[in-house]
Amino acid sequence: MDGGHTLDRCREVTEEVLRTVFSQLYRQGVTLEGMILKPNMVLPGLTCPKQEPVDEVADATVKCLLRAVPAPFRGLRFCQAANLPNWPRPD
């Protein structure tokens, strides 16, 4: 992800966006059980001097999703982490 933002800033913005999205979905009467969300992972920007290891990124992403996504929601899908720059590639 482009930018110099920190992992914490990405988490804050992601959480705010997810809360807003789900608030609007609720207002519009969307049934959460029947939808799929493809969220971003919580990542520092590519030009941020502190690049957290994969396990910290995973932990931040899961914690963010648990705080911002309502419990009835079941459909999360992620892109492959191997497609991201500077991440370990599977054999």
Side-chain angles (χ1 to χ4, degrees), residues 6-60:
T6 64
L7 181 88
D8 286 336
R9 180 64 181 148
C10 184
R11 182 197 46 76
E12 291 168 0
V13 172
T14 299
E15 190 170 330
E16 180 180 339
V17 169
L18 287 172
R19 287 178 192 266
T20 301
V21 166
F22 281 103
S23 174
Q24 290 301 313
L25 290 170
Y26 176 77
R27 289 182 67 197
Q28 298 300 319
V30 174
T31 304
L32 300 182
E33 293 89 342
M35 64 176 280
I36 297 172
L37 176 70
K38 186 179 174 191
N40 60 285
M41 291 191 298
V42 175
L43 296 167
L46 291 175
T47 59
C48 181
K50 184 176 181 194
Q51 295 291 315
E52 281 83 354
V54 174
D55 59 333
E56 288 182 35
V57 168
D59 189 51

Side-chain angles (χ1 to χ4, degrees), residues 51-73:
Q51 295 291 315
E52 281 83 354
V54 174
D55 59 333
E56 288 182 35
V57 168
D59 189 51
T61 300
V62 169
K63 285 180 180 177
C64 178
L65 292 171
L66 288 172
R67 282 193 297 261
V69 177
F73 185 76

